[in-house]
Amino acid sequence: MTGPPHGPRRPTSADEILQGLDPEQHAVAAAPTGPMCVLAGAGTGKTRAITHRIAYGVWSGAFQPHQVLAVTFTARAAGEMRTRLRGLGVPGVQARTFHAAALRQLQFFWPQAVGGAPPEVVAQKAPAVAEAAGRLRLRLDRPALRDLAAEIEWAKVNLITPQGYPEAVRGRRDGVAGLDLTAVSRVMSTYEDVKGERHVIDFEDVLLLMVGILDAHPRVAGSVRDQYRHFVVDEYQDVNPVQQQLLDLWLGGRQEICVVGDPAQTIYSFTGASPRHLLEFPQRHPEATVVRLVRNYRSTPQIVQVANLVLGAAARGGVELRAQGEPGRAPRLTAYSDDVAEADGVAEAIRDLLGSGTMASQVAVLFRTNAQSAAVESALAAREVPYLVRGGERFFSRPEVRQAVLLLRGASRGDTGNAPLGQVVRDVIGGAGWSPQAPSAGAASRERWESLEALANLADDLSVVEPEMRIPGFVTELDRRATEQHAPTVQGVTLASLHAAKGLEWDVVFVIGCSEGLLPVSMAEGAARIEEERRLLYVGLTRARRDLRLSWAASRGAGGRAGRKPSRFLQPAGTLLGLAQGQGGSPAHKAPRAPRRPKTCRTCGAALGSAAERKVGRCDNCPPTYDEATFERLREWRLEVSREQNVPAYVVFTDATLTAIAELTPKTTAALAEIAGVGPRKLELYGADVLAVLAGQDVVPISRKNS
C-alpha cells in the first residue's frame, strides 16, 4: 500500500472520503471538476489520490458515476482501480484500458456508422505480416517478422501511413529486419491488404477506426460525449499520438479531465509513448491545477536516496521523492566474477531470506533482458526455491487454474454452507492437484501447487470480508477477476524484466546485471535512448519497499575475460553503494555454488531424474536407507520449529532435504553443509540442533533458548 493507512470500511459521506489523505493527495481529491495535472512520483499514492477524487466527486454530487471514464494502460491496473472504487462506494464508474474502452465503443457504433458486423480483432500480427512478406517474395525468419510487426505497430500509433513511412522516418530509422525503408513500406501496405481480405483488424486499428468514426460522425461523437463527461487518465506519460487524438475527440473541447503521470517513468518510447503530452498539459489547458505528489510511502529513505541520485536531472519536469517510511537496510552493490556466480549468489541470498521468514511472493529479481532469466531460474531450481516468471502465462489461463474453476463451478449447487468457504474450496480443488502439503521437489509441480494454493488463500481472505460468501459467489468473483486480470497472490519469487515490473512492488528487490552493456543496454544509441535506460533503472529501484540489492558480473561466462564495468548510472550513488569513484566496484568474487549432486542412484545405479532424487542420492524405486526413528525425530523437530517460527515446515527444510540428512547422517557441521538444501543461513539457524537430533540428544525449543 502506498499512502497513509486506511481501513476497509466504506465511507458514509463526502467529507469522510477526504480523511486520511496527505496534503497533496487532499488537493487532488478535493477538486473533482476542472482540468488537473498530477505529477506523481513513484510510490506516492497516485491511485489512492485519483480514486478518492472520483469518489469525492460522486459523493459530493459533482457528477454521476456512469458519467466518468477512467483510462489506464493495463487490464490489471484498470481492475485495481475498479476494486478501489467499489471499496469507496462508487461501483458504477467505468475504469478501462484505452483499447478496451475504444473496442467497446467500436462494437456498439460500427453497425450505425459503417454497417454490418464489426471485424474480428486478431491477437497477433505475425501471421498476417508473414503472409504479406511472402506475397512480396521476402524470406524472413521469426525474429525479423517480430521486428516488422513491432515497426508496424509503432508507425500506426504515431499516425504514419505506409505511403508516408519512408519520408517520415528517413534520417531517424534505418529500416527493419535488413530491409530498406521502401521495402518496409511495401510490407506495411500489403499487411493492410491481407487484413482487409480477411475482414480482421489489429489492436491499433481499434483506436484508429474509433478516431475516424468520431471525427466523421458528429452524432456518434455527441452520443459518446453525452455518456462520458469526466475523464481521468492514469500513466499519462505513456500516451502515444493516436491515444491522445482519441482522448481529444472524447473530450470534444471540454475541460473535465484529470491526467496523472511521472516523466521519470517514461520507459516505453519504442511503442510511441511520449511524456510531451503530460509536460505540455498546462499549456494546452491554461486553467489547469498542477499538483505534485512527492511523499514516497513505499520505500525506505535509503532506497529513495539512491533512486533520486541515480535519476538526477533525468526527471525533467518530474518530482524529487521525499521518503516517509522508517529507515532500513542500506542498498549495496555486489560484484561477481561471472553471470552464473551472480545467479548463484542471488539464489543463495533468496534462500536465506525465505529461511528467515520472508514470503517468496515478496521477493523479486529484475533484469534488463529476458535472456538473463535463465541462469537465475536454474540457480533457484537447484535450491528448490519456488519462482514465477512474469510475462509468461497469465494466472487464469493456467491449465490447473482453469480446471479448478471448472470444478468449483460444478460444485456450486453442492455447497451446503456447513463448512468454512476455504475448507470447501480446498476439498474441491483437490481434484485439480491441490494437497495440504506443498510438493517437496520439482519447480513445475511446485508452481502448479502454488497457483491452486493462491485460490484457496483467496477464499480465506474473501470469507473474512464477506462472511456469507459461498461457492457460487466465489466463482462469480473469480470470473470477474479473470476478466480484469486481477490475479491473487501466488507464492513464488518473481522474475521479471524491468519493463514488466513497472507498476508493481515487493519487500525485497534484486536488480541484477547492473553493468555497461546491460544498463544501458548495448543497443541504446543517442542521448535520448541512454536517458530512457536511466529511467528504466530508476523504475526498478523504486519497486523495492524495504530491501534493495544490486549486483553485476565482470564477465559473461566462468573463466572469461573480466571486461565489464559497473553501470555509469550508479556513479552518482557510488558512495552509498560502496562503489569507488571511477572504479569497477568491490572485487569480483565467486558466489557459493549449489552442492554437487549425484546423477545416479547409490543403491541400483539408475539415472536420477528429479531434483529430489538427486538431492537424496537415491531413486524413488529403491527403499529408503535411513533409520525410521531418526527420520521421525527430525520430522518432529522440524514441526516444532515451524510452529514456533510460524512458517510452513518446508521453509525450515524440505522433505527431500530432511530425507537426505537422515540417510547421510552427517556428524559434523562441515558434513551437514555439503547436503543440498542446507545453506549458510540454515546452517547457522539449525545446524547444532540437527546434529543433536541425529545424535539422539534432546533439543531445547528456540523459544526457551531465547528466554
Side-chain angles (χ1 to χ4, degrees):
M1 180 186 71
T2 52
H6 61 285
R9 187 174 68 86
R10 293 189 178 187
T12 57
S13 68
D15 289 340
E16 196 174 334
I17 295 286
L18 302 179
Q19 294 176 7
L21 301 177
D22 70 27
E24 294 79 22
Q25 293 171 347
H26 187 282
V28 174
T33 58
M36 177 175 286
C37 177
V38 183
L39 298 172
T44 57
K46 67 179 178 65
T47 305
R48 178 177 171 81
I50 59 177
T51 52
H52 279 68
R53 183 183 195 265
I54 295 170
Y56 183 73
V58 173
W59 279 87
S60 66
F63 44 73
Q64 298 298 313
H66 64 271
Q67 296 175 328
V68 182
L69 178 59
V71 188
T72 187
F73 281 80
T74 66
R76 184 195 63 79
E80 171 68 17
M81 194 175 291
R82 285 193 292 269
T83 299
R84 294 203 191 193
L85 289 168
R86 278 196 298 270
L88 291 168
V90 286
V93 174
Q94 294 293 315
R96 300 179 180 276
T97 65
F98 265 105
H99 283 91
L103 180 59
R104 192 173 187 227
Q105 293 173 16
L106 185 68
Q107 291 172 335
F108 182 83
F109 290 111
W110 183 276
Q112 55 183 286
V114 181
E120 178 186 353
V121 181
V122 294
Q124 301 291 336
K125 291 183 180 66
V129 174
E131 183 171 338
R135 291 185 184 185
L136 296 171
R137 298 184 179 180
L138 298 173
R139 303 182 66 178
L140 302 173
D141 57 16
R142 288 185 179 180
L145 291 173
R146 285 198 300 268
D147 288 346
L148 271 173
E151 187 71 357
I152 290 171
E153 180 176 328
W154 176 86
K156 295 178 81 164
V157 300
N158 281 284
L159 303 173
I160 298 173
T161 64
Q163 295 73 25
Y165 174 82
E167 187 61 32
V169 304
R170 185 168 284 115
R172 295 188 292 124
R173 298 168 95 88
D174 299 323
V176 181
L179 304 177
D180 62 27
L181 299 181
T182 301
V184 175
S185 172
R186 292 173 61 206
V187 173
M188 292 171 62
S189 181
T190 308
Y191 167 75
E192 296 300 323
D193 293 339
V194 170
K195 287 193 292 124
E197 294 168 11
R198 296 180 179 179
H199 192 57
V200 297
I201 58 177
D202 58 32
F203 281 106
E204 290 67 50
D205 290 329
V206 172
L207 303 178
L208 290 165
L209 287 169
M210 201 58 221
V211 164
I213 288 173
L214 290 172
D215 191 43
H217 297 270
R219 184 175 299 179
V220 172
S223 179
V224 171
R225 292 165 191 163
D226 186 60
Q227 170 71 51
Y228 297 118
R229 303 182 183 185
H230 300 268
F231 294 85
V232 175
V233 185
D234 192 14
E235 302 288 0
Y236 193 55
Q237 78 279 349
D238 290 334
V239 163
N240 59 45
V242 70
Q243 289 167 335
Q244 181 62 52
Q245 191 169 24
L246 178 60
L247 181 61
D248 289 340
L249 287 164
W250 282 342
L251 278 167
R254 295 170 295 175
Q255 299 292 308
E256 291 300 327
I257 178 170
C258 171
V259 299
V260 189
D262 180 9
Q265 296 188 69
T266 303
I267 58 174
Y268 295 113
S269 66
F270 60 88
T271 67
S274 170
R276 176 174 57 86
H277 306 291
L278 174 64
L279 296 174
E280 296 176 359
F281 186 87
Q283 285 73 52
R284 297 198 311 276
H285 301 268
E287 298 179 3
T289 301
V290 178
V291 181
R292 284 178 164 81
L293 301 184
V294 299
R295 302 172 195 251
N296 178 285
Y297 297 97
R298 177 186 299 157
S299 307
T300 65
Q302 289 86 348
I303 294 172
V304 169
Q305 184 180 14
V306 168
N308 281 336
L309 288 170
V310 167
L311 183 63
R316 288 209 264 184
V319 302
E320 182 173 343
L321 298 177
R322 301 175 190 170
Q324 305 296 301
E326 295 294 324
R329 184 181 189 272
R332 299 293 291 178
L333 175 67
T334 302
Y336 292 96
S337 58
D338 56 73
D339 288 346
V340 174
E342 181 180 29
D344 279 331
V346 168
E348 195 74 23
I350 291 174
R351 187 168 67 174
D352 289 345
L353 283 167
L354 302 190
S356 301
T358 300
M359 300 294 287
S361 61
Q362 291 304 320
V363 180
V365 181
L366 308 182
F367 35 79
R368 176 61 181 88
T369 67
N370 289 324
Q372 294 170 262
S373 175
V376 181
E377 290 181 50
S378 177
L380 291 174
R383 292 160 175 83
E384 296 187 0
V385 174
Y387 65 86
L388 308 164
V389 181
R390 185 164 183 83
E393 191 173 33
R394 289 180 170 180
F395 178 84
F396 287 102
S397 299
R398 296 174 187 172
E400 67 274 12
V401 174
R402 292 203 306 268
Q403 184 184 2
V405 173
L406 187 63
L407 291 172
L408 289 166
R409 205 179 301 280
S412 293
R413 293 184 179 180
D415 184 3
T416 61
N418 294 328
L421 176 64
Q423 179 182 328
V424 177
V425 168
R426 286 173 172 83
D427 289 343
V428 173
I429 65 177
W434 181 86
S435 60
Q437 285 290 330
S440 60
S445 297
R446 182 56 182 271
E447 185 170 348
R448 288 193 295 270
W449 184 89
E450 293 289 1
S451 297
L452 298 174
E453 177 71 358
L455 290 177
N457 291 334
L458 178 62
D460 292 337
D461 295 342
L462 291 174
S463 64
V464 173
V465 179
E466 299 183 39
E468 301 302 317
M469 178 177 283
R470 303 308 309 168
I471 292 292
F474 184 60
V475 171
T476 300
E477 175 68 13
L478 292 178
D479 289 341
R480 181 185 69 79
R481 285 172 172 255
T483 300
E484 298 175 354
Q485 289 302 319
H486 184 190
T489 300
V490 179
Q491 284 302 322
V493 174
T494 300
L495 307 184
S497 70
L498 290 166
H499 282 101
K502 188 172 181 296
L504 304 174
E505 57 187 77
W506 297 269
D507 282 348
V508 186
V509 170
F510 293 79
V511 182
I512 66 172
C514 295
S515 62
E516 292 290 310
L518 289 172
L519 281 167
V521 73
S522 57
M523 66 184 71
E525 297 179 355
R529 290 288 305 276
I530 295 297
E531 288 310 302
E532 181 157 338
E533 292 286 305
R534 184 190 301 275
R535 295 193 296 269
L536 187 58
L537 175 57
Y538 171 79
V539 167
L541 303 181
T542 54
R543 301 309 94 196
R545 285 194 282 257
R546 60 178 179 83
D547 192 349
L548 172 64
R549 309 189 188 190
L550 311 176
S551 61
W552 69 285
S555 67
R556 181 175 181 179
R561 186 176 66 86
R564 290 177 178 165
K565 296 180 180 179
S567 170
R568 71 190 78 172
F569 301 147
L570 300 179
Q571 289 294 344
T575 302
L576 298 177
L577 297 172
L579 177 64
Q581 188 69 26
Q583 299 300 314
S586 54
H589 64 275
K590 294 184 177 180
R593 301 291 174 97
R596 190 178 300 276
R597 303 181 182 186
K599 297 181 179 180
T600 57
C601 174
R602 63 170 175 267
T603 302
C604 68
L608 300 176
S610 69
E613 287 181 338
R614 290 192 296 273
K615 178 179 284 190
V616 175
R618 171 180 50 79
C619 67
D620 290 337
N621 294 326
C622 289
T625 58
Y626 56 72
D627 176 70
E628 291 189 7
T630 300
F631 184 68
E632 283 305 312
R633 287 199 305 274
L634 285 169
R635 288 186 61 184
E636 290 172 4
W637 166 82
R638 182 182 66 170
L639 180 61
E640 185 174 6
V641 171
S642 69
R643 286 173 175 171
E644 291 222 353
Q645 297 183 351
N646 195 28
V647 296
Y650 70 82
V651 170
V652 181
F653 284 122
T654 65
D655 285 349
T657 300
L658 214 64
T659 300
I661 293 171
E663 295 211 354
L664 298 173
T665 59
K667 300 293 191 297
T668 65
T669 301
L672 181 59
E674 289 296 315
I675 297 176
V678 184
R681 178 63 176 165
K682 291 193 178 183
L683 198 65
E684 177 186 348
L685 289 173
Y686 312 127
D689 284 359
V690 169
L691 294 176
V693 171
L694 292 173
Q697 301 171 7
D698 292 332
V699 177
V700 179
I702 295 173
S703 59
R704 274 191 271 150
K705 286 181 182 178
N706 298 330
S707 61

